[in-house]
Amino acid sequence: MSLRSSPVNVLILSGDPEIHDQYRGVFRDANVTSAKDVATLPKDAHKRIFDAIVVESTRQAPGGEILKQLQGIDPARTLIVTGSRPVLKRTSSLLMAKSQSNGAAQTLCLETFLERKVGDFVKGMRNGSARNLHPMLISAVERPLITLALKETKGNQIQAAELLGLNRNTLRRKIQDLHIPVKRARTH
């Protein structure tokens, strides 16, 4: 499975069509949902998880108040850009310039992000005296991946194992080896 096949989900809330167009240009390969405000969002938008949210704030509707109307936003995993129309326009220009560095447009995807971050890590480790980078990197990625899968499945290890494509016993061993705390969410 290619990581490039799962694009970024972006939500744009603005009354200015120019802002919608600019951010669609920034997030070229993304699934973009655009609306004037929260009230005009498609019905299924409240159920989606967005990787980036762009919100035009006004005196009547501050960005923070608009974001409170959207449920399930995790600021730790979502890029949130909020501001007035001029601020959003400047920000889109900055993001566009950054994505087109080195003369070639770059696709915003998990694989590109990992290439950059792992590349920086490998360069730093190469300058030191590190060995066995492969197991080190795998464990560094594996722990948060398993933790996020458990969080997504509310602690259900069988569902998490299916989500990860692992055998349930393998997942349990990895949870134990990586010292991952498991809390099963109770359903009411």
Side-chain angles (χ1 to χ4, degrees), residues 92-102 104-106 116:
S92 73
S93 298
L94 290 170
L95 289 171
M96 183 63 82
K98 182 72 174 162
S99 72
Q100 292 179 342
S101 61
N102 299 331
Q106 297 173 350
R116 289 180 188 158

Side-chain angles (χ1 to χ4, degrees), residues 77-179:
R77 78 172 293 289
T78 305
L79 169 67
I80 300 173
V81 180
T82 182
S84 63
R85 284 182 184 180
V87 168
L88 291 180
K89 288 178 181 180
R90 280 194 314 267
T91 305
S92 73
S93 298
L94 290 170
L95 289 171
M96 183 63 82
K98 182 72 174 162
S99 72
Q100 292 179 342
S101 61
N102 299 331
Q106 297 173 350
T107 303
L108 179 63
C109 67
L110 178 61
E111 187 173 356
T112 303
F113 176 77
L114 285 174
E115 283 175 9
R116 289 180 188 158
K117 290 298 179 184
V118 171
D120 292 344
F121 179 77
V122 170
K123 284 178 188 173
M125 296 304 283
R126 184 173 181 223
N127 294 336
S129 60
R131 293 178 189 248
N132 299 326
L133 285 179
H134 185 265
M136 190 184 307
L137 280 170
I138 295 301
S139 66
V141 171
E142 197 170 40
R143 189 174 204 288
L145 180 64
I146 291 171
T147 303
L148 289 169
L150 287 166
K151 182 178 178 184
E152 184 66 28
T153 61
K154 297 178 177 63
N156 186 316
Q157 293 180 26
I158 294 172
Q159 290 177 2
E162 287 176 13
L163 180 64
L164 293 166
L166 297 174
N167 179 290
R168 151 183 81 115
N169 291 328
T170 302
L171 176 62
R172 288 185 177 152
R173 188 187 79 245
K174 288 181 181 288
I175 289 170
Q176 203 170 28
D177 292 347
L178 296 169
H179 306 289

Side-chain angles (χ1 to χ4, degrees), residues 4-81:
R4 291 189 190 279
S5 65
S6 54
V8 173
N9 290 312
V10 179
L11 173 62
I12 303 170
L13 296 174
S14 173
D16 186 349
E18 189 177 336
I19 289 175
H20 291 267
D21 292 341
Q22 285 179 328
Y23 280 92
R24 282 182 187 276
V26 170
F27 298 106
R28 263 182 308 286
D29 297 332
N31 290 328
V32 178
T33 303
S34 297
K36 182 179 177 183
D37 53 32
V38 176
T40 60
L41 277 173
K43 291 180 182 179
D44 68 332
H46 293 284
K47 297 176 185 173
R48 289 190 225 152
I49 296 174
F50 292 100
D51 301 298
I53 300 175
V54 179
V55 179
E56 176 190 341
S57 60
T58 62
R59 288 185 181 172
Q60 296 80 19
E65 294 302 315
I66 294 170
L67 290 171
K68 286 180 186 174
Q69 295 175 30
L70 298 169
Q71 300 161 350
I73 296 174
D74 182 1
R77 78 172 293 289
T78 305
L79 169 67
I80 300 173
V81 180

